[in-house]
């Protein structure tokens, strides 16, 4: 039996921010060794660039960061010989990572941590066009809200973008309401898969294809 403590003995990770936050929100972070063990159970999915992961209580990114790291390793393995493809598929890997977080400071920290992971992959700084594009993606992929109520703090329905890489530097975005996506459990397939076959999965908004420059603007 694993007993949650303030720090993980194996790694020295801090698993709680304060006792008050534990009491108020039940906030306890998952240690990296346990995250890796869990992700190894779905290793083939973590190594797919286009597989989509949603963490409904993402905290500061304890799950999403390792998922992104594995995806970026796959990008290097498959597209490392072309800087153009490596960068575009790297951004697409980031686009396939989603999170919901109740606490505002955690949500922002998660975005910062994921952006930093992507920046290290590209060896780029915060002013780089690619990092500005990544931050624009994370602003809509990491949502502050209540995953159970499926609402934002203002009471609006949570909306997630489905990103697609069209090739030649172009991305497609379609937005879907989270409450409709949860109904995927009644339909064979995975998140965003074959949505056009079912009326309940009609996007709430579809965008024109866009480039990295347009995302970063």
């Amino acid at each position: 039996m694993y007993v949650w403590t303030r720090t993980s003995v194996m790694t020295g990770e801090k698993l709680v921010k304060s006792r008050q936050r534990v009491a108020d929100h039940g906030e306890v972070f998952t240690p990296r060794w346990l995250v890796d063990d869990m992700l190894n159970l779905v290793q083939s999915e973590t190594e797919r660039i286009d597989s989509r992961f949603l963490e409904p209580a993402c905290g500061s990114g304890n799950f999403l960061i390792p998922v992104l790291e594995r995806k970026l390793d796959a990008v290097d393995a498959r597209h490392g010989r072309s800087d153009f493809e490596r960068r575009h598929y790297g951004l697409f890997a980031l686009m396939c990572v989603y999170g919901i977080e109740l606490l505002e400071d955690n949500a922002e920290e998660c975005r910062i941590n994921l952006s930093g992971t992507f920046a290290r992959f590209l060896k780029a700084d915060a002013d780089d066009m690619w990092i500005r594009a990544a931050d624009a993606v994370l602003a809509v992929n990491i949502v502050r809200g209540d995953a159970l109520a499926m609402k934002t703090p203002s009471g609006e329905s949570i909306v997630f973008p489905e990103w697609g890489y069209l090739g030649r530097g172009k991305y497609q975005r379609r937005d879907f309401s989270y409450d409709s996506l949860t109904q995927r459990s009644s339909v064979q397939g995975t998140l965003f898969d074959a949505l056009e076959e079912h009326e309940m999965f009609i996007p709430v908004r579809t965008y024109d294809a866009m480039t990295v420059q347009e995302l970063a603007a």
Side-chain angles (χ1 to χ4, degrees), residues 87 115-116 118-131:
R87 287 173 175 267
S115 179
F118 182 64
R120 287 189 292 275
F121 171 74
L122 292 186
K123 297 182 172 64
D125 58 40
D127 293 328
D128 188 278
M129 174 186 70
W130 287 88
I131 307 306

Side-chain angles (χ1 to χ4, degrees), residues 32-149:
R32 179 61 184 256
W33 67 266
L34 183 55
V35 170
D36 286 335
D37 282 352
M38 295 173 72
L39 292 180
N40 285 341
L41 296 175
V42 289
Q43 183 172 342
S44 62
E45 289 299 307
T46 66
E47 294 173 350
R48 275 182 50 206
I49 299 168
D50 63 345
S51 64
R52 294 179 171 90
F53 281 77
L54 167 62
E55 171 54 56
C58 66
S60 56
N62 290 40
F63 271 94
L64 296 183
I65 293 167
V67 168
L68 179 59
E69 289 173 346
R70 291 180 183 218
K71 285 176 169 291
L72 295 177
D73 285 344
V75 171
D76 260 336
R78 296 168 197 174
H79 304 286
R81 293 185 179 182
S82 167
D83 188 59
F84 180 89
E85 294 297 296
R86 182 178 183 271
R87 287 173 175 267
H88 282 88
Y89 276 101
L91 183 59
F92 182 47
L94 180 71
M95 289 173 166
C96 293
V97 173
Y98 300 85
I100 303 172
E101 172 54 38
L102 184 64
L103 302 179
E104 184 174 9
D105 61 334
N106 281 346
E108 182 58 25
E109 189 175 344
C110 183
R111 296 185 195 105
I112 291 170
N113 288 338
L114 289 168
S115 179
T117 300
F118 182 64
R120 287 189 292 275
F121 171 74
L122 292 186
K123 297 182 172 64
D125 58 40
D127 293 328
D128 188 278
M129 174 186 70
W130 287 88
I131 307 306
R132 296 200 308 273
D135 289 343
V137 169
L138 291 169
V140 292
N141 275 33
I142 307 300
V143 177
R144 186 186 171 211
D146 186 328
L148 294 178

